[in-house]
């Protein structure tokens, strides 16, 4: 079957290898996504000139780790992961007043996508509406 884009939108070999690895080891892919979101959040938050005291920073790191770490179980327990991720992110955003803190919102968004993908339409709409 010919490509609808005339062959100009082909995925490079390296990306197809990553896609194959992610499909064969889904929990490793989830862990990788959580680590990337965690790292970006801390990088953008803690390097801000308005970074808070070390006690607030320790709580913020713990909350970010909970929000991102929950993503590892998102395929098995999508709704509890969404709840934990949303709660940890909300408390994190209340603690940290930096513009980079908004990067952590990606964790509940990934969890919300998983709920919408793995649950039925009615339950997904209900939970999505409650989460937003």
């Amino acid at each position: 079957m010919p490509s609808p884009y005339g062959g100009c939108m082909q995925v490079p070999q390296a990306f197809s290898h990553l896609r194959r690895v992610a499909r064969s080891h889904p929990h490793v892919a989830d862990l990788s996504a959580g680590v990337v979101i965690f790292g970006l959040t801390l990088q953008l938050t803690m390097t801000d000139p308005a970074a808070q005291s070390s006690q607030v920073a320790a709580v913020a790191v713990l909350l970010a780790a909970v929000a991102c770490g929950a993503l590892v179980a998102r395929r098995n327990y999508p709704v509890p992961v969404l709840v934990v991720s949303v709660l940890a992110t909300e408390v994190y955003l209340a603690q940290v007043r930096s513009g980079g803190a908004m990067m952590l919102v990606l964790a509940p968004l990934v969890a919300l996508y998983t709920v919408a993908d793995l649950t039925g339409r009615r339950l997904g709409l209900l939970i999505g509406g409650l989460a937003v």
Side-chain angles (χ1 to χ4, degrees), residues 49-100:
Q52 290 89 9
S53 68
S54 61
Q55 184 179 13
V56 172
V59 172
V61 169
L62 178 66
L63 289 167
V66 168
C68 294
L71 293 179
V72 174
R74 74 184 178 99
R75 295 175 199 263
N76 296 331
Y77 308 102
V79 176
V81 166
L82 176 63
V83 170
V84 167
S85 184
V86 165
L87 290 176
T89 300
E90 289 300 322
V91 175
Y92 178 87
L93 291 174
Q95 294 283 324
V96 178
R97 302 284 186 202
S98 170

Side-chain angles (χ1 to χ4, degrees), residues 101-124:
M102 291 304 291
M103 182 62 74
L104 189 60
V105 174
L106 286 175
L109 287 178
V110 169
L112 182 61
Y113 170 79
T114 304
V115 168
D117 188 39
L118 297 181
T119 62
R121 184 184 323 168
R122 186 171 291 165
L123 181 62

Side-chain angles (χ1 to χ4, degrees), residues 7-77:
C8 64
M9 300 275 298
Q10 293 182 357
V11 178
Q13 288 295 335
F15 292 128
S16 64
H17 174 71
L18 288 175
R19 186 179 300 156
R20 199 171 33 246
V21 170
R23 284 186 183 143
S24 62
H25 304 290
H27 293 295
V28 173
D30 295 342
L31 178 65
S32 300
V35 167
V36 167
I37 294 169
F38 179 72
L40 287 173
T41 300
L42 292 185
Q43 175 67 29
L44 293 173
T45 303
M46 299 306 167
T47 58
D48 191 7
Q52 290 89 9
S53 68
S54 61
Q55 184 179 13
V56 172
V59 172
V61 169
L62 178 66
L63 289 167
V66 168
C68 294
L71 293 179
V72 174
R74 74 184 178 99
R75 295 175 199 263
N76 296 331
Y77 308 102

